[in-house]
Amino acid sequence: MPRPGRAAAASAAVAGAAVAAIAWRALWQEPRSDRIRERDLVLLLGDYIDPGVPFGGPVAPRTVAARLGALRAPRGVVAVLGNHDWHNDGPGMRSALREAGIAVLENDATDAGGLWIAGVEDLRHRRPDIGHALREVPAGAPVILLAHDPDLFPDVPPRVALTVSGHLHGGQIGVPFLRRPFLPSRFGERYAAGHVVEGGRHLYVTRGVGTTGLPVRLLAPPEAIVLRLSPAS
């Protein structure tokens, strides 16, 4: 029979190794994991600046826009702003993106070669108006809606083929139920991440790249989503 002291020491070693493994993944591996991009149409969903990140420094809107301005796609690069942008410098971020050649939509839409892209203002700092955003989209035309905050999805009409959102980072701590306190959504985990279908309407919520608050991710690795869309039969 093993001695109690040795058993306790072995248990402590196993527990220490588990904690170290989780810390490595949350603090190092996931925040730096690889990403793959495929550029046909590029949609940017907001939260480009966040000066309050621990262990980091503020990055000017023009610096961010210069990097994003290097993106190219046959149907263009289209963006909306997020709550962190407006909390810090919404007008500056909007101007910087437009100067970099990126279309910034605020309750309006643009024709991307027969596919319409509509975008609404941020829910927490502005006044999103889905009806106003869709006013110039021809009846029957395919349209994708950019809404930084997925809490708007219940108000999206059936004419929108797909709504794409960000904002929640998959909870950033992606453990079900544990992530609930970190999700800034009145719907809890309903729109935490991924593909959601409700009443025949489609929503995709990306976990995005980067972090907010503490630079930690766990079971919610950063992602740049590639969606391949095809006409309905």
Side-chain angles (χ1 to χ4, degrees):
M1 296 291 293
R3 295 181 181 179
R6 291 182 178 178
S11 298
V14 171
V19 170
I22 293 172
W24 171 82
R25 177 166 182 168
L27 294 170
W28 183 263
Q29 191 268 336
E30 282 200 15
R32 294 164 176 80
S33 56
D34 294 334
R35 300 182 290 273
I36 298 175
R37 296 178 179 176
E38 183 173 310
R39 301 170 184 168
D40 299 320
L41 171 69
V42 176
L43 306 178
L44 305 174
L45 298 175
D47 282 357
Y48 312 108
I49 51 175
D50 189 1
V53 176
F55 314 114
V59 180
R62 289 182 182 273
T63 301
V64 177
R67 297 291 296 272
L68 296 176
L71 295 172
R72 295 288 185 272
R75 293 177 182 259
V77 181
V78 185
V80 291
L81 298 183
N83 57 301
H84 283 276
D85 303 315
W86 285 109
H87 179 72
N88 294 290
D89 186 4
M93 192 69 247
R94 176 178 58 197
S95 297
L97 289 171
R98 287 176 173 169
E99 290 172 5
I102 297 172
V104 180
L105 299 180
E106 296 183 302
N107 296 333
D108 52 6
T110 184
D111 182 1
L115 173 64
W116 283 79
I117 309 300
V120 291
E121 294 181 333
D122 173 62
L123 178 62
R124 297 172 187 271
H125 292 270
R126 306 287 282 177
R127 294 183 178 180
D129 188 331
I130 297 172
H132 197 270
L134 298 174
R135 72 193 187 283
E136 295 185 359
V137 179
V143 55
I144 297 175
L145 177 68
L146 278 62
H148 173 72
D149 193 329
D151 277 14
L152 285 171
F153 184 58
D155 299 323
V156 175
R159 66 177 299 198
V160 173
L162 172 67
T163 301
V164 288
S165 300
H167 183 55
L168 300 178
H169 296 185
Q172 201 160 299
I173 303 297
V175 182
F177 304 108
L178 178 60
R179 70 185 171 188
R180 181 180 291 270
F182 300 96
L183 284 169
S185 171
R186 60 193 175 98
F187 295 104
E189 300 195 12
R190 180 172 166 182
Y191 303 133
H195 186 200
V196 178
V197 182
E198 292 182 356
R201 300 169 305 118
H202 293 262
L203 166 71
Y204 199 95
V205 184
T206 175
R207 293 191 299 263
V209 299
T211 57
T212 186
L214 292 173
V216 174
R217 280 184 180 263
L218 179 62
L219 302 181
E223 62 183 7
I225 293 298
V226 177
L227 298 176
R228 295 182 176 89
L229 308 182
S230 59
S233 59

